[in-house]
Amino acid sequence: MTVVTRFAPSPTGHLHIGGARTALFSWLHARRMGGRFILRIEDTDRERSTDEYVEAILEGMAWLGLEHDEGPYYQTQRFDRYREVIARMLAEGTAYHCYCSRERLEALRAEQMAAKEKPRYDGSCRDRHDPPPEGVSPVVRFRNPLDGQVVFEDLVRGSIAFANAELDDLIIARSDGTPTYNFTVVVDDADMGVTHVIRGDDHINNTPRQINLLQALGVTPPAYAHVPMILGADGQRLSKRHGAVSVLQYRDEGYLPEALLNYLVRLGWSRGDQEIFSRPEMIALFDLKAVHRAPSTFNPDKLLWLNQHYLKTADPVYVAGHLQPHLARLGVDPDAGPDLAGVVRALRERSKTLVEMAEGARFFFADHVAYDEKAVAKHLGEEGCRALSAVKAQLAELAEWTTEAIHGVIETVAASGGWKMGQVAQPLRVAVSGTAVSPPIDQTLQLLGREKSLERIAAALQHVHS
């Protein structure tokens, strides 16, 4: 049997953290088992679904690198298929028309609530044979079994059972003919050969209804794995009040996709004490049996730690590609300065996000340095300018503009002038970057190049003496 999983978001909002984790688990299971991963857009909620959200979902999936093997399929393009199945069920007697008015159903619900009973449809139209009332557009209901149980072995939670007596006759088509969620999901999963449904545990109550629908269609239900919800630090379900919840928001805040994927895979799944997982390791090691039953707590500090790890260890050329959009937001042209991978190497030890890295990189690409006057006052006094002039003269004579040669000049100037290394390096740092904070100064000068470095030193001296 070929394993087939699916991720089926509704485009009523952006791709959020919980959805991304579901997509990742589904993708990993398919990849590990050599199966197929389907992307399906469940866009039947016409009032809230938008093209903007569809694009955001597709963009978020692409950024995370969760490529699909089939799709994206759109439910709104499958209405003919849904109508075909509903007509078949009506003909076979597994579904029926219900003409009950809204007023009757509301009164029934109020009566059941007053009697402390579970609100459910009473089957009034289930076996009616009298002529239908005129001018009423009926809904279509599924003829749910009245007796017995729905029992399924959840791959995360173990055996789960629901009594059919607790399940009412689900509406599968509204009075305007549009299909409902539980029905479209069942038809899609059956048509697409889905073997494993991995989704949030908020769908558990839908599962017995969907199993009964599948069995009525003569289809073997897939295996189900319901993963627990994600909580904020306050123990409440993760939401916007806990900070960024959209995948693209994390991208815009300067996170690498590898960091977010690594964090998400550990959010409810573990492999011993291992914290860092490459993508190939995730695929090789992920096992639904190791998914935790208890809810997971989202820890932004842990995600930030992982991001810093990947900024430090990932290929600088790769990181540079992700850094470019952040530089562009600052109005920085990466082609107007040193090799961007070299800038990444210089900044990655001190950067936790790509946003921080982009801010730290600005001075490399600027035409003119903006000075921090406090740093100027502290490091470019009379003695600092003497050291700066001395190092400028020797830098101008360097035969090779390398990190080692530049470092040697700074050491020589410090020794000959009776200065400590910092008394030479800090004036130099303020001169070329505008602040007292930068990557190692020899590395900074090497990246800036001889011409730009000497120009900035001369400009700093002029700035102080003007």
Side-chain angles (χ1 to χ4, degrees), residues 218-446:
V219 177
T220 301
Y224 292 92
H226 291 95
V227 298
M229 67 177 66
I230 301 172
L231 306 178
D234 57 0
Q236 300 300 307
R237 185 165 187 164
L238 190 68
S239 66
K240 290 181 180 178
R241 71 178 179 275
H242 296 109
V245 293
S246 161
V247 165
L248 294 181
Q249 191 173 342
Y250 281 101
R251 179 199 64 182
D252 294 343
E253 291 183 0
Y255 289 82
L256 288 172
E258 288 77 12
L260 188 55
L261 285 175
N262 194 150
Y263 184 74
L264 290 177
V265 81
R266 286 284 287 108
L267 202 59
W269 174 82
S270 60
R271 172 87 176 183
D273 295 328
Q274 186 172 343
E275 294 287 352
I276 307 297
F277 292 88
S278 66
R279 192 177 299 243
E281 283 179 315
M282 290 184 206
I283 294 171
L285 299 175
F286 182 77
D287 188 346
L288 284 170
K289 294 178 182 177
V291 174
H292 306 162
R293 296 186 182 187
S296 303
T297 301
F298 191 84
N299 183 345
D301 292 334
K302 183 67 170 293
L303 174 58
L304 194 61
W305 174 81
L306 278 168
N307 199 56
Q308 188 170 25
H309 165 80
Y310 281 101
L311 287 176
K312 287 180 180 179
T313 59
D315 180 354
V317 175
Y318 172 78
V319 176
H322 285 277
L323 179 63
Q324 284 185 334
H326 296 280
L327 290 172
R329 289 191 187 97
L330 298 176
V332 173
D333 178 9
D335 295 329
D339 172 58
L340 199 52
V343 173
V344 169
R345 290 188 187 92
L347 292 168
R348 61 185 178 180
E349 290 296 326
R350 62 178 64 243
S351 301
K352 293 182 179 179
T353 69
L354 290 163
V355 170
E356 285 184 10
M357 187 176 284
E359 286 286 353
R362 292 179 77 160
F363 77 91
F364 280 109
F365 304 92
D367 292 329
H368 305 286
V369 169
Y371 297 107
D372 174 355
E373 292 302 334
K374 288 184 179 179
V376 170
K378 182 175 181 179
H379 297 290
L380 290 182
E382 182 178 346
E383 195 69 9
C385 285
R386 281 186 56 238
L388 192 57
S389 296
V391 81
K392 175 177 177 290
Q394 291 210 27
L395 287 172
E397 301 298 322
L398 267 184
E400 292 184 351
W401 195 260
T402 64
T403 302
E404 295 77 10
I406 293 167
H407 186 79
V409 164
I410 296 171
E411 282 187 327
T412 299
V413 169
S416 62
W419 294 299
K420 295 178 180 178
M421 283 285 286
Q423 291 176 296
V424 178
Q426 283 302 88
L428 190 51
R429 181 170 279 114
V430 174
V432 298
S433 73
T435 73
V437 178
S438 80
I441 191 60
D442 48 8
Q443 193 176 10
T444 298
L445 292 179
Q446 190 276 325

Side-chain angles (χ1 to χ4, degrees), residues 9-21:
S10 297
T12 54
H14 293 279
L15 178 61
H16 54 79
I17 289 298
R21 184 186 65 167

Side-chain angles (χ1 to χ4, degrees), residues 2-246:
T2 300
V3 166
V4 179
T5 66
R6 47 79 159 175
F7 177 53
S10 297
T12 54
H14 293 279
L15 178 61
H16 54 79
I17 289 298
R21 184 186 65 167
T22 298
L24 174 61
F25 284 8
S26 299
W27 183 84
L28 287 173
H29 186 63
R31 291 291 173 266
R32 185 187 181 200
M33 305 304 293
R36 302 197 316 276
F37 174 63
I38 293 173
L39 177 60
R40 186 171 76 219
I41 306 297
E42 298 188 339
D43 55 349
T44 54
D45 186 343
R46 293 175 169 181
E47 291 185 2
R48 297 194 301 148
S49 296
T50 69
D51 291 341
E52 175 190 354
Y53 288 140
V54 170
E55 289 304 313
I57 290 168
L58 297 179
E59 190 176 352
M61 292 288 285
W63 179 70
L64 289 171
L66 301 179
E67 69 281 359
H68 47 275
D69 303 301
E70 295 181 27
Y73 297 110
Y74 296 86
Q75 288 187 330
T76 49
Q77 297 174 5
R78 289 175 47 80
F79 276 16
D80 287 345
R81 173 59 177 157
Y82 303 141
R83 281 191 283 267
E84 174 190 335
V85 177
I86 286 172
R88 173 184 140 198
M89 293 179 69
L90 286 168
E92 294 176 348
T94 55
Y96 62 92
H97 287 118
C98 175
Y99 295 89
C100 291
S101 66
R102 181 184 297 272
E103 291 75 19
R104 180 188 183 277
L105 294 176
E106 288 178 352
L108 174 65
R109 177 181 176 84
E111 181 182 322
Q112 290 170 331
M113 295 285 284
K116 300 188 183 305
E117 298 174 356
K118 179 180 178 180
R120 58 195 300 275
Y121 181 60
D122 62 357
S124 173
C125 293
R126 184 179 175 107
D127 296 310
R128 68 178 294 166
H129 301 291
D130 53 321
E134 293 184 6
V136 177
S137 298
V139 299
V140 178
R141 289 185 182 271
F142 170 58
R143 193 184 297 273
N144 193 77
L146 297 175
D147 304 315
Q149 286 186 315
V150 181
V151 181
F152 63 97
E153 193 68 24
D154 190 284
L155 298 178
V156 173
R157 296 176 169 272
S159 183
I160 298 178
F162 287 84
N164 277 317
E166 295 295 313
L167 308 174
D168 58 3
D169 288 354
L170 184 72
I171 294 175
I172 59 176
R174 302 177 184 90
S175 58
D176 63 359
T178 57
T180 59
Y181 166 77
N182 277 298
F183 176 73
T184 57
V185 167
V186 162
V187 175
D188 290 345
D189 285 347
D191 286 354
M192 296 172 189
V194 173
T195 63
H196 292 75
V197 172
I198 301 166
R199 58 189 180 186
D201 60 6
D202 53 330
H203 285 282
I204 286 180
N205 287 337
N206 290 326
T207 303
R209 295 177 167 87
Q210 293 174 9
I211 289 175
N212 280 342
L213 276 165
L214 284 162
Q215 290 175 338
L217 294 174
V219 177
T220 301
Y224 292 92
H226 291 95
V227 298
M229 67 177 66
I230 301 172
L231 306 178
D234 57 0
Q236 300 300 307
R237 185 165 187 164
L238 190 68
S239 66
K240 290 181 180 178
R241 71 178 179 275
H242 296 109
V245 293
S246 161

